[in-house]
């Protein structure tokens, strides 16, 4: 039975099904081609356009609440209580040092002072970074740490073990410049006046690289349905922005009470917050990175723009959530009071005439630790002797004196 002998209605329906099937297949092919071309292999925007767009988005997002979570409105400062302990008059109190008085005594005019270059600070930072790079190359501690962090509990289930293939800590150093001091404008100034904040420009042009290898595992509809090897290398090419630094002074506030019936006792303990250094970056910072990717095992796709955009967005989000205003990072400052155990340098001249002898720092630390251990042992020995003496006295107290002048233990047999 030929096609010509079929009725006209059946021929029309057969042609309509064929045309619809071909049209559907063609639509799927066009959609897949458009997705691959514009979504995967599309040209990314220029770094200038991306940086300006991100800065504008951060300003719009943090604009209404930019200063609501500033470094002056931290919980430790918000609950600050003015504790005035009566003194005996031996320690004389100097006049109250407000911000204008501090500026006048240091001859600094926030309105007319020229920005500083910070050349000395750049040298110190460069020496610190150089020592860090030298220590990192001597052992593989940084490799072990990065491997443990990448394969930690936050690793997604669809990724196999992540292997670090390349680490480059760079060769250049950040340059700080244009430092200026000005009062913090957040409306939370206290009786001493607005606190001071230092802002400086920082610029780093280097090649800091981290390369990793892993596999994307497809576990649906059954485990290990497909495995896709992925190699990724992320390089920080340039970072520039404005760094804000401010000191958070120590504050004393009332500690929360654990008694529900009496939430405010008469003698409530005080809690002291140590002095800390707060730093953050302004939202208009710029971060240029270079992402190299390789997807597949046999027919590999190289440098997919969409992967680079996803990595860049994730890196920017990581920085924004930690140290971009209004969020800050606080570092507790150690005590700067001079101590004997922290002293390094030539030996003392007592008993050695005028000869100077260089002290080995490691040996000095060991001797200090040995002295501390011996002191602790001596204290423990004295404590045990006191306990023993107290036990003997307690035993004698329970003895009773008999008529014959002797002592009798409780519960003893009668004589």
């Amino acid at each position: 039975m030929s096609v010509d002998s079929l009725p006209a209605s059946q021929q029309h329906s057969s042609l309509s099904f064929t045309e619809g099937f071909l049209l559907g297949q063609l639509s799927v092919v066009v959609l897949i081609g458009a997705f691959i071309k514009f979504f995967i292999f599309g040209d990314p925007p220029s770094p200038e356009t991306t940086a300006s767009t991100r800065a504008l988005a951060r300003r719009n997002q943090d604009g209404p609440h930019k200063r609501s979570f500033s470094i002056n409105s931290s919980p430790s400062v918000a609950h600050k209580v003015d504790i005035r302990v009566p003194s005996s008059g031996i320690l004389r109190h100097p006049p109250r040092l407000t911000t204008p008085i501090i500026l006048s005594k240091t001859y600094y005019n926030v309105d007319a002072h020229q920005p500083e270059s910070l050349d000395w600070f750049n040298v110190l930072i460069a020496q610190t970074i150089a020592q860090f790079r030298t220590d990192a190359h001597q052992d593989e501690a940084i490799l072990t740490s990065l491997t443990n962090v990448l394969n930690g509990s936050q690793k997604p289930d669809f990724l196999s073990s992540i292997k670090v293939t390349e680490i480059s800590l760079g060769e250049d150093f950040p340059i700080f410049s244009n430092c200026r001091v000005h009062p913090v404008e957040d409306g939370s100034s206290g009786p001493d006046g607005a606190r001071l904040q230092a802002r400086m420009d920082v610029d780093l042009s280097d090649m800091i690289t981290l390369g990793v290898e892993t596999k994307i595992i497809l576990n649906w509809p059954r485990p290990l349905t497909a495995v896709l090897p992925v190699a990724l290398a992320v390089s920080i090419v340039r970072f520039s922005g404005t760094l804000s630094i401010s000191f958070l002074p120590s504050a004393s506030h009332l500690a929360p009470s654990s008694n529900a019936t009496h939430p405010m006792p008469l003698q409530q303990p005080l809690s002291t917050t140590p002095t800390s250094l707060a730093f953050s970056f302004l939202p208009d910072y710029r971060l240029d990175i270079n992402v190299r990717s390789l997807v597949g095992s046999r027919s590999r796709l190289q440098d997919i723009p969409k992967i680079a955009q996803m990595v860049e967005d994730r890196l920017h989000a990581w920085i924004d959530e930690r140290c971009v205003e209004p969020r800050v990072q606080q570092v507790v400052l150690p005590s700067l009071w001079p101590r004997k155990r922290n002293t390094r340098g030539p030996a003392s001249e007592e008993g050695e005439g005028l000869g100077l002898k260089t002290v080995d720092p490691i040996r000095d630390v060991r001797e200090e630790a040995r002295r501390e251990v011996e002191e602790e042992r001596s204290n423990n020995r004295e404590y045990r002797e006191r306990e023993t003496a107290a036990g003997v006295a307690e035993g004698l107290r329970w003895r009773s004196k008999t008529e014959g002048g002797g002592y009798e233990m409780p519960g003893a047999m009668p004589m």
Side-chain angles (χ1 to χ4, degrees), residues 164-300:
V164 179
T165 59
E166 181 184 1
I167 297 178
S168 177
L169 300 179
E171 299 178 355
D172 293 328
F173 304 100
I175 301 299
F176 297 87
S177 61
N178 196 21
C179 179
R180 57 272 187 199
V181 178
H182 63 87
V184 179
E185 301 173 357
D186 57 356
S188 61
S189 58
D192 296 337
R195 288 193 308 105
L196 299 176
Q197 184 182 65
R199 287 187 176 180
M200 60 195 73
D201 298 336
V202 55
D203 190 6
L204 173 63
S205 297
D206 206 345
M207 185 66 70
I208 304 175
T209 306
L210 174 62
V212 296
E213 284 184 356
T214 185
K215 295 180 181 179
I216 300 178
I217 302 175
L218 181 61
N219 295 321
W220 189 88
R222 60 179 184 274
L224 298 178
T225 301
V227 177
L228 183 63
V230 176
L232 195 66
V234 182
S235 301
I236 298 178
V237 180
R238 183 184 179 186
F239 177 84
S240 61
T242 303
L243 177 64
S244 300
I245 299 178
S246 179
F247 286 100
L248 297 180
S250 60
S252 300
H253 55 88
L254 298 177
S257 176
S258 58
N259 192 352
T261 59
H262 302 283
M264 292 296 292
L266 296 178
Q267 298 294 334
Q268 190 173 5
L270 297 178
S271 177
T272 303
T273 303
T275 304
S276 59
L277 175 68
F279 68 92
S280 63
F281 293 97
L282 296 187
D284 57 350
Y285 74 93
R286 176 177 175 179
L287 177 63
D288 296 340
I289 64 175
N290 181 23
V291 180
R292 294 177 285 115
S293 59
L294 197 61
V295 180
S297 56
R298 294 183 179 179
S299 57
R300 298 188 174 185

Side-chain angles (χ1 to χ4, degrees), residues 97-409:
L97 295 178
T98 61
T99 300
I101 295 178
I102 294 176
L103 292 175
S104 63
K105 288 181 176 295
T106 55
Y107 307 102
Y108 195 98
N109 188 352
V110 295
D111 298 326
H113 200 280
Q114 296 295 327
E116 301 178 13
S117 61
L118 295 180
D119 294 337
W120 63 272
F121 187 70
N122 293 329
V123 175
L124 295 181
I125 293 296
Q127 289 180 345
T128 304
I129 296 177
Q131 184 63 39
F132 169 75
R133 292 171 178 172
T134 303
D135 297 340
H137 284 94
Q138 289 180 356
D139 53 10
E140 296 184 355
I142 186 172
L143 177 59
T144 305
S145 301
L146 286 176
T147 303
N148 295 334
V149 170
L150 294 176
N151 292 279
S153 59
Q154 298 182 353
K155 182 175 69 68
D157 297 334
F158 58 85
L159 292 180
S160 65
S161 177
I162 301 177
K163 178 182 178 182
V164 179
T165 59
E166 181 184 1
I167 297 178
S168 177
L169 300 179
E171 299 178 355
D172 293 328
F173 304 100
I175 301 299
F176 297 87
S177 61
N178 196 21
C179 179
R180 57 272 187 199
V181 178
H182 63 87
V184 179
E185 301 173 357
D186 57 356
S188 61
S189 58
D192 296 337
R195 288 193 308 105
L196 299 176
Q197 184 182 65
R199 287 187 176 180
M200 60 195 73
D201 298 336
V202 55
D203 190 6
L204 173 63
S205 297
D206 206 345
M207 185 66 70
I208 304 175
T209 306
L210 174 62
V212 296
E213 284 184 356
T214 185
K215 295 180 181 179
I216 300 178
I217 302 175
L218 181 61
N219 295 321
W220 189 88
R222 60 179 184 274
L224 298 178
T225 301
V227 177
L228 183 63
V230 176
L232 195 66
V234 182
S235 301
I236 298 178
V237 180
R238 183 184 179 186
F239 177 84
S240 61
T242 303
L243 177 64
S244 300
I245 299 178
S246 179
F247 286 100
L248 297 180
S250 60
S252 300
H253 55 88
L254 298 177
S257 176
S258 58
N259 192 352
T261 59
H262 302 283
M264 292 296 292
L266 296 178
Q267 298 294 334
Q268 190 173 5
L270 297 178
S271 177
T272 303
T273 303
T275 304
S276 59
L277 175 68
F279 68 92
S280 63
F281 293 97
L282 296 187
D284 57 350
Y285 74 93
R286 176 177 175 179
L287 177 63
D288 296 340
I289 64 175
N290 181 23
V291 180
R292 294 177 285 115
S293 59
L294 197 61
V295 180
S297 56
R298 294 183 179 179
S299 57
R300 298 188 174 185
L301 300 178
Q302 186 176 1
D303 297 340
I304 300 177
K306 191 60 181 179
I307 295 180
Q309 185 178 358
M310 294 173 58
V311 172
E312 187 174 357
D313 294 340
R314 191 63 181 269
L315 187 58
H316 276 87
W318 187 88
I319 297 176
D320 294 343
E321 293 174 356
R322 285 164 175 80
C323 54
V324 176
E325 287 189 355
R327 299 174 180 87
V328 299
Q329 286 288 321
Q330 293 188 14
V331 180
V332 177
L333 297 179
S335 176
L336 300 180
W337 187 261
R339 296 182 179 181
K340 180 63 177 178
R341 63 183 181 184
N342 298 331
T343 304
R344 302 292 183 270
S348 176
E349 296 182 359
E350 296 182 8
E352 296 185 6
L354 299 177
L356 297 179
K357 181 180 179 181
T358 303
V359 179
D360 188 3
I362 300 179
R363 182 180 179 182
D364 193 7
V365 172
R366 291 177 179 174
E367 292 179 356
E368 183 70 22
R370 181 178 55 81
R371 286 193 295 268
E372 292 179 357
V373 171
E374 292 179 354
E375 183 179 357
E376 184 177 358
R377 290 178 178 176
S378 176
N379 294 334
N380 293 336
R381 190 182 304 108
E382 294 177 358
Y383 175 78
R384 287 194 299 268
E385 292 176 356
R386 289 195 301 267
E387 289 292 328
T388 304
V392 173
E394 186 71 15
L396 292 175
R397 188 176 65 86
W398 283 98
R399 295 183 181 182
S400 59
K401 189 173 183 180
T402 61
E403 296 179 357
Y407 286 90
E408 181 183 21
M409 295 296 295

